[in-house]
Amino acid sequence: DRIDTSGDGSLDVSELMQAFSQMGISLDKGKVENIVEMADEDGSKTIEWREFKRMFDVSVQWHELVMKLGKSLAGAGPLNDTVLRRQFCTIDKDNNGSLDKDELREVFANLKIDIDEATLGKLLTLADGDGSDAIEWPEFKRVFQVVRCVASSTESQFSTDARKGAAPSSKQRHR
């Protein structure tokens, strides 16, 4: 309800821009319009709860993929740029410097993560910063940096809660 400032049950570009701003995320209007366009399944130029939930679910699946890839690389030592680059090159079957939809689908299959075509397409769109319909090395690296940052902040919050003897908040339990 705090995001839906108009109270109409949907989020428009200005409401999303305000929400991102409140979270300390600076996005230009064009990027926010792209987010709305990607999530807007009914052509209303807004995001209703059902559409918002689907986008959230896609984000969770992307997080799951990145975390599983990270765990699969754990035996290789610290998850640094060299290790990530090596994994990227392994996934890039045609050696063209990017991961297309087929290569991304294969990654999910290898990790035994069920994913439908629509969700796969949305995941690709989320990670594809330049609109090339593929994920290049800098985009792949950025996804891992974001997930690493989120994971470390979650771990530090759990550590803080544990030191205080507090149970995780309901938001933390449902992550």
Side-chain angles (χ1 to χ4, degrees):
D1 289 340
R2 290 188 341 213
I3 298 173
D4 180 14
T5 56
S6 66
D8 64 358
S10 64
L11 304 175
D12 61 22
V13 170
S14 65
E15 289 169 320
L16 278 176
M17 286 185 70
Q18 183 177 353
F20 283 125
S21 176
Q22 289 172 353
M23 291 185 284
I25 301 170
S26 177
L27 294 175
D28 64 44
K29 187 175 182 178
K31 288 191 189 276
V32 177
E33 287 171 344
N34 287 342
I35 291 169
V36 170
E37 183 179 333
M38 182 173 54
D40 180 22
E41 297 172 352
D42 64 6
S44 65
K45 299 200 184 324
T46 61
I47 301 175
E48 288 77 27
W49 169 249
R50 173 181 90 318
E51 296 164 334
F52 183 83
K53 172 87 169 71
R54 280 204 188 108
M55 282 303 296
F56 180 80
D57 291 346
V58 166
S59 298
V60 168
Q61 284 189 297
W62 184 245
H63 179 264
E64 181 183 355
L65 166 68
V66 172
M67 296 308 287
K68 282 189 176 186
L69 279 174
K71 285 179 183 176
S72 74
L73 298 174
L79 199 54
N80 59 33
D81 287 356
T82 303
V83 173
L84 280 177
R85 181 67 177 189
R86 194 174 316 128
Q87 182 65 20
F88 178 86
C89 292
T90 300
I91 298 167
D92 182 16
K93 299 293 185 195
D94 58 9
N95 296 313
N96 68 351
S98 64
L99 305 180
D100 61 24
K101 198 173 187 179
D102 292 332
E103 290 165 325
L104 195 55
R105 183 184 303 104
E106 187 174 326
V107 171
F108 277 98
N110 290 343
L111 293 171
K112 297 180 180 20
I113 300 173
D114 291 328
I115 187 165
D116 61 55
E117 283 301 306
T119 302
L120 184 66
K122 287 182 180 183
L123 287 175
L124 185 61
T125 302
L126 282 173
D128 178 21
D130 64 5
S132 66
D133 289 330
I135 303 170
E136 288 79 23
W137 163 245
E139 295 163 338
F140 186 80
K141 181 179 168 183
R142 185 178 64 239
V143 167
F144 270 91
Q145 289 169 336
V146 168
V147 170
R148 192 179 309 151
C149 181
V150 168
S152 67
S153 68
T154 301
E155 288 170 9
S156 70
Q157 183 61 46
F158 278 123
S159 297
T160 301
D161 289 344
R163 283 194 304 272
K164 292 178 182 176
S169 69
S170 62
K171 283 184 181 177
Q172 290 170 326
R173 284 193 303 265
H174 295 295
R175 284 186 181 163

